[in-house]
Amino acid sequence: MRPHARWQSARLTSAAVCPPPPLSTAQQLRRVLLPAAGAPRALMVAGLGAAFWQQATGVEAAVYYTPETLERAGITDESSLLLATVGVGAVKVAFIVLAAFLVERCGRVRLLLASQASIAASHLLIAASFFGGGITWLALLGQCAFMGAFSLGAGPCSMMVASELFPLQVRGFALGVATLVNRTTSGTIALTFLSLSAAITPAGEYCLFAALALACARVRRGSRAPRAPRDVRRRLRALRARALVHGHLLLAGARARAPRAARARLSAARAR
């Protein structure tokens, strides 16, 4: 191998193997909050948006205020109210177990889209129960469907997708920011649920949550831009070239370190 070619191969191998230097806190903050235009900004917005939309559809309100919602829908007996609350929790646990089996088979994005659409339908069922004057079974069905839909996709997959979208250099810092956005949204929904319900009625509030879930599903569906096949083939060729160069360098180093007798035996074996 010529000296220039050997130097070029070593440079490519070091670039492929050696990780980039760590970034300072200010650099990570700038890359997360002020990303460059194009793919970095789109990935950052999608990751932070996944953390936001997970809580914007009202799951904390459904968890904290299930007894109040069912009581407004017409369940006034204390034992029936407790039994209905336990049933909603059992549905949530069952769909979490189901999501563990489906997440790798169906894909995270598909589960997220199906989950958000089902959440919107569940909120509309609860709103219809209030519009109808307190249809108890419809409110209970909507509450169980909402818990199941959230546990199937939005709950387990949102932060998982966010972690896969963030660049490697700022992934830990970006996940911290995403968690902050997630918990801030959760606290805001939980604190304003009762006052918002009093202001726009429970039916109007659940219609608002349904609109947010539909908007989330629409945004995520529109952000699914497939990679161009040409770009994929180009990246695969680059990875294969780097792996080939790295393998040649390792083989050359092994040959240089081998004793002369071993190299002679190797040459004789090849001649046979």
Side-chain angles (χ1 to χ4, degrees):
M1 184 182 291
R2 295 180 180 178
H4 178 72
R6 186 181 297 111
W7 173 83
Q8 188 73 9
S9 300
R11 188 177 67 85
L12 289 175
T13 304
S14 61
V17 175
C18 297
L23 300 176
S24 64
T25 304
Q27 290 174 329
Q28 294 185 60
L29 186 64
R30 185 169 62 251
R31 288 200 179 186
V32 171
L33 300 181
L34 298 172
R41 182 175 299 175
L43 291 174
M44 200 61 63
V45 170
L48 295 177
F52 169 77
W53 287 112
Q54 184 193 42
Q55 299 295 329
T57 51
V59 62
E60 293 296 330
V63 172
Y64 295 152
Y65 300 108
T66 295
E68 286 80 359
T69 301
L70 296 178
E71 186 175 1
R72 290 177 181 178
I75 302 178
T76 55
D77 183 58
E78 186 175 354
S79 59
S80 300
L81 192 62
L82 180 61
L83 184 62
T85 305
V86 172
V88 171
V91 170
K92 179 179 173 64
V93 173
F95 273 86
I96 288 175
V97 176
L98 180 62
F101 290 98
L102 293 180
V103 65
E104 292 298 335
R105 295 183 180 181
C106 300
R108 291 174 280 278
V109 176
R110 289 182 180 179
L111 282 181
L112 278 174
L113 294 175
S115 174
Q116 293 296 339
S118 302
I119 286 173
S122 305
H123 283 319
L124 290 178
L125 286 178
I126 300 175
S129 72
F130 287 109
F131 280 127
I135 305 176
T136 304
W137 67 269
L138 192 59
L140 183 59
L141 177 63
Q143 196 77 7
C144 291
F146 170 66
M147 283 299 179
F150 179 83
S151 302
L152 188 64
C157 297
S158 292
M159 297 304 291
M160 189 188 310
V161 170
S163 67
E164 294 172 350
L165 290 173
F166 293 138
L168 185 60
Q169 279 189 296
V170 295
R171 181 167 295 172
F173 191 86
L175 275 175
V177 176
T179 305
L180 176 64
V181 172
N182 183 275
R183 302 322 301 168
T184 302
T185 307
S186 169
T188 303
I189 294 294
L191 290 174
T192 59
F193 179 78
L194 293 179
S195 57
L196 188 63
S197 177
I200 63 174
T201 71
E205 185 176 31
Y206 279 101
C207 286
L208 175 62
F209 285 146
L212 288 174
L214 286 177
C216 175
R218 177 62 182 170
V219 168
R220 286 178 177 170
R221 185 177 184 275
S223 63
R224 294 176 62 194
R227 292 173 178 262
R230 183 178 302 176
D231 182 58
V232 173
R233 289 196 298 267
R234 181 178 58 82
R235 294 191 179 188
L236 284 176
R237 285 196 299 267
L239 288 175
R240 288 170 183 166
R242 290 178 180 178
L244 185 61
V245 169
H246 186 58
H248 281 309
L249 288 178
L250 290 178
L251 183 59
R255 287 177 178 174
R257 290 190 298 268
R260 184 176 302 177
R263 286 185 300 196
R265 287 195 298 268
L266 181 60
S267 300
R270 286 181 178 176
R272 294 175 186 174

